[in-house]
Every structure is written in structure tokens, then in C-alpha cells.
Amino acid sequence: MDWVTILLYAVLVMLGWMVIYSASLPLEETSIFDIGQIYGRQMLFIIFAIPLIIVVLSLDAKIYEKYSFIFYGLSILLLAGLFVAGKTIKGQTNWYSFGGFTLQPSEFAKTAVSLVLAKYLSDVQINLKNTNHQLIAFGIIGLPVLLIMMQPDAGSAMIFLSLVFVLYREGLPGWYLWTGAIAIALFLLALLVKPYFLIMCALMIITIHYFLTKRVHRNPILYTLVFIAIAGFVFSVDYVYENVLEPHQKDRIDVLFDKNVNQQAEGYNLNQSLIAIGSGGWFGKGYLEGTQTKGGFVPEQHTDYIFTTVGEEWGFAGALVVIALFITLLLRLIYLAERQKSKFSRTYGYCVVAILFTHFFVNIAMLIKLFPTIGVPLPFFSYGGSSLWAFTILLFIFIKLDANKVNEW
């Protein structure tokens, strides 16, 4: 087994518990195993993660590939079952509740989708240059996304869309990524500047590209259709923003761009996050010494906003260390993925990287106002049994596949 990856996992989990302990420490000291406290329950989740790891590593690695479609089917049933037996929390029906215990199936579905996507793409007959094969791959990702969006939980759904990068690694034409990136950029720009200005800029860029392209590759009809598509998209942004997006989604975009934001209402969470992180300075206020943390100024600090405690108490230096640990883990996983002898293991490895990176990047970016606020936990740090166990299973399946690569000839 790759003990470097296991060590990085253990360090991140324990650092995460330390931060949760600080963010949820009551005035009166109690045992670290006090399940009446948030940090006590998180310690319990960490302890229960150990038998999960043992089970994952004990199973034959071939089981994950052989039964991937069964895992996928079960995850779809669990997601669909939420509409019948799910518990609604803060307007989202994405939890099962069993007494005092809750389970979020969308977290575990990420592993199931990764397994079945890797299984499908490992077929030697699959070529992602083929449109039919592309549609099936998109369908594998799209079905759980549709169910999660209906809950509604846009943050979790977005994580699944990151698997498009895995498809690109396995041969998906690059224009899909370029089209998506340009569409996102145009949508955001259309909210900031006048549509006619954007369209004029687009026309100029398309015209320059047309005359710089080799004459044999010029197709004026194609260029015209691209311009019409861009113009139509730009003019549709205002309608989508006003009539399609939910009020809370519009608020999050307004907060990002400082558009008529009430800092005591929709802008409160992000404003407090920036104050907490900024107040840490270079080296922080010291562990357990965060005044913003202790004062409870940052809402949901032990979950999606957990990194604000890192910024306040450990400062820029401590935050940099945590970020470096995540980047080291991601680079290690990319290295392991590239050395796999089977396409299934390699593809699954890249799925793990895509999911962990998107969680890591989006969570920290939204706290420092580089990304709209979305309910996405920071892997191994944010409080919650479902997220910790799901990330643990996701990662250790790949560790098992990597340990088994000797037998994959």
C-alpha cells in the first residue's frame, strides 16, 4: 500500500479534528469523546472510519470493478428514495434520518459514479470521440446530478460535473471544456457589463480568429453560427438571472460582485469569513485563541466555513501548510493514477483527484470571495460523518486498487 497517501490522509483528518475542536469548544471543558459536543461526535466518526478502511482494504480489488454497476444502481435508488423518505434540512431534502443519526447519500454516490464511469471507460471498445459513447458517459454523470438538483443541492451536483475533466483525460474532445469555460465567463461578464459591449468584443475576436486561421480551414458559416450562439447566450443571461435562478442563488452572485449587498443579511456570512481569515495575519492568533471563532461570529463554522478557523488561529503560514498538504495529496494521487497498469484503476484515480480537488478549491475559494458561496465541505476537515466516511471510502478504494496493480498484468 502507498503509505505516503495514507499518512497524508491521517494528518489531514487529525488536523481537521483539531480545527473542529477549536471551532466548537464550549466554555466548560469536557472530554474529547463527549458525543454531546460537535468535536466529540467528529471523533466518533473518525474512530468508525477505521473499520471502514479495514473493510475496503480487505475486499478483493476486483470486486470494485465487477460490481460497480450494482453500487451505482444502489446509489441512484438511495437518491431517488429521498423524495419519499428524506429529511428536509434548510430547504434541502438530501438526508436520511435514523433517530439521531443522519446520512447524506449524495456523498457516497460520488464513489459509485466514479466506479461505474471508470468501468465504462475501461472498455477497449469505448472511444470518447464517438458521440454515442459521449452521451452514455454524460448520462452516467447526469442521472445523479438530475436527482440531486431536484433536492435541490446545487453544490453537490456541481462536484459530479467535475468528472468531465476525467472524460477529457480519457479522450473527450477539448472543445467541450472550452465551450463550458467560455459559457461560464460570458455569463459572469454579462452580469457586469452591457450585453452589446460583450457582443462587439466577441465579434472582434471571432473576426481576428477568422483571418488568422489558414484559408483551407475557414468556414464562414461556422463562424457565423458561433457568433449567433454567443449573441443569443449573452442576451439570455439577464432572463435566466431574473427568472430561472432561485433568490438565494442570485444573492450569492450579488455578494460575489458586491451588487446592492446588505452586509447584515445576505452578505453576512462571507463578510464574517473575510474578517476572521484576515484577522489571523501572518502567523495567526494561536490555537484556541481565535476571537472571531470563540465569539461565534462566523455561521456554520464547523462545517462549510471550517477553513476560517485555520486562517484566524494559524494565520497565513498555517493556511499555507494546510493548502500544501492538500496539493501534495492531489499530486501524489495523480502520480499513482499515471502508474496504474489498468485503465479502470487509472480512470478511477483521476475521478478521486477531480472530486477532492473540486471540494478543496471551491470550499476555500468561496471563503475568500473568489467563488460564489456554495454548500461544499472541505475534505477531511468539515464536520460530518457522511462526508468523512464517503471521502475515506473514495480514497481507500483507490489505495487498494493501487496496491493490487502488481496482479493486473
Side-chain angles (χ1 to χ4, degrees):
M1 290 185 292
D2 186 69
W3 290 102
V4 173
T5 302
I6 294 174
L7 177 62
L8 287 168
Y9 163 83
V11 170
L12 287 170
V13 168
M14 292 315 299
L15 288 177
W17 182 86
M18 289 174 61
V19 179
I20 289 173
Y21 179 79
S22 179
S24 59
L25 185 65
L27 295 177
E28 298 180 0
E29 291 188 15
T30 61
S31 167
I32 62 173
F33 299 102
D34 181 3
I35 61 173
Q37 303 296 332
I38 289 172
Y39 58 79
R41 292 195 292 273
Q42 186 69 10
M43 178 58 75
L44 199 62
F45 296 149
I46 293 172
I47 292 172
F48 280 128
I50 296 173
L52 274 179
I53 292 171
I54 294 172
V55 170
V56 169
L57 295 179
S58 298
L59 293 176
D60 190 329
K62 295 178 182 178
I63 286 176
Y64 300 113
E65 180 176 5
K66 184 177 180 180
Y67 297 106
S68 58
F69 284 98
I70 294 178
F71 298 142
Y72 182 80
L74 288 173
S75 69
I76 295 300
L77 287 176
L78 287 172
L79 289 173
L82 288 169
F83 301 106
V84 178
K87 181 180 180 180
T88 301
I89 301 177
K90 296 182 180 179
Q92 295 179 333
T93 309
N94 52 5
W95 298 85
Y96 285 108
S97 180
F98 310 97
F101 177 75
T102 56
L103 183 72
Q104 188 175 7
S106 60
E107 294 293 338
F108 298 93
K110 295 166 190 173
T111 299
V113 172
S114 298
L115 286 171
V116 80
L117 189 65
K119 172 65 174 175
Y120 176 71
L121 295 178
S122 64
D123 190 325
V124 293
Q125 297 181 348
I126 299 302
N127 183 353
L128 287 179
K129 298 292 191 292
N130 183 297
T131 303
N132 291 332
H133 296 170
Q134 292 173 12
L135 291 175
I136 295 174
F138 287 137
I140 290 171
I141 301 171
L143 181 55
V145 168
L146 177 63
L147 292 172
I148 293 170
M149 286 297 293
M150 292 169 64
Q151 293 175 2
D153 185 1
S156 295
M158 182 190 65
I159 302 299
F160 285 86
L161 297 179
S162 68
L163 295 176
V164 172
F165 291 106
V166 179
L167 300 183
Y168 175 71
R169 167 62 181 83
E170 297 302 327
L172 185 73
W175 68 265
Y176 280 98
L177 293 184
W178 283 109
T179 302
I182 291 171
I184 293 171
L186 286 174
F187 184 89
L188 296 177
L189 288 171
L191 296 174
L192 298 174
V193 301
K194 298 293 183 182
Y196 291 103
F197 176 76
L198 269 184
I199 291 173
M200 290 300 296
C201 290
L203 178 61
M204 182 172 61
I205 293 171
I206 290 173
T207 302
I208 292 173
H209 188 276
Y210 177 80
F211 285 107
L212 291 180
T213 303
K214 293 181 180 180
R215 186 176 298 276
V216 69
H217 292 143
R218 288 181 185 174
N219 187 335
I221 297 177
L222 178 61
Y223 278 81
T224 302
L225 291 175
V226 169
F227 174 72
I228 292 173
I230 290 175
F233 180 81
V234 169
F235 279 119
S236 71
V237 168
D238 187 62
Y239 176 83
V240 171
Y241 178 77
E242 295 295 341
N243 300 283
V244 177
L245 294 182
E246 297 291 334
H248 69 276
Q249 294 171 331
K250 291 192 290 185
D251 287 341
R252 290 171 179 177
I253 294 175
D254 291 343
V255 168
L256 183 67
F257 295 130
D258 287 326
K259 295 173 61 177
N260 302 319
V261 175
N262 182 349
Q263 296 297 347
Q264 298 303 316
E266 63 271 12
Y268 180 80
N269 288 16
L270 181 58
N271 186 50
Q272 293 301 319
S273 170
L274 294 172
I275 291 173
I277 293 174
S279 68
W282 285 101
F283 300 104
K285 298 175 181 176
Y287 185 56
L288 303 179
E289 299 297 328
T291 53
Q292 296 293 313
T293 296
K294 293 296 174 285
F297 291 102
V298 183
E300 306 295 335
Q301 192 164 13
H302 59 287
T303 55
D304 298 341
Y305 286 79
I306 191 65
F307 195 74
T308 59
T309 301
V310 176
E312 182 184 17
E313 296 189 348
W314 299 356
F316 178 81
L320 197 61
V321 169
V322 171
I323 290 172
L325 285 171
F326 273 107
I327 292 176
T328 302
L329 174 63
L330 292 168
L331 291 176
R332 182 67 181 178
L333 292 175
I334 291 173
Y335 165 74
L336 295 180
E338 284 296 334
R339 75 175 189 177
Q340 298 305 304
K341 295 182 175 66
S342 77
K343 191 175 181 180
F344 172 80
S345 298
R346 183 187 70 206
T347 305
Y348 179 79
Y350 271 101
C351 289
V352 176
V353 172
I355 290 170
L356 291 179
F357 171 77
T358 307
H359 270 277
F360 156 72
F361 174 79
V362 171
N363 180 274
I364 295 179
M366 74 180 186
L367 300 186
I368 56 177
K369 209 174 181 180
L370 294 178
F371 200 87
T373 302
I374 296 175
V376 172
L378 182 61
F380 316 121
F381 269 67
S382 293
Y383 168 79
S386 291
S387 62
L388 175 63
W389 295 341
F391 287 130
T392 298
I393 292 171
L394 178 76
L395 178 62
F396 275 86
I397 286 178
F398 181 56
I399 290 174
K400 176 63 177 182
L401 293 175
D402 176 66
N404 194 60
K405 65 184 179 298
V406 176
N407 302 318
E408 290 177 348
W409 286 100

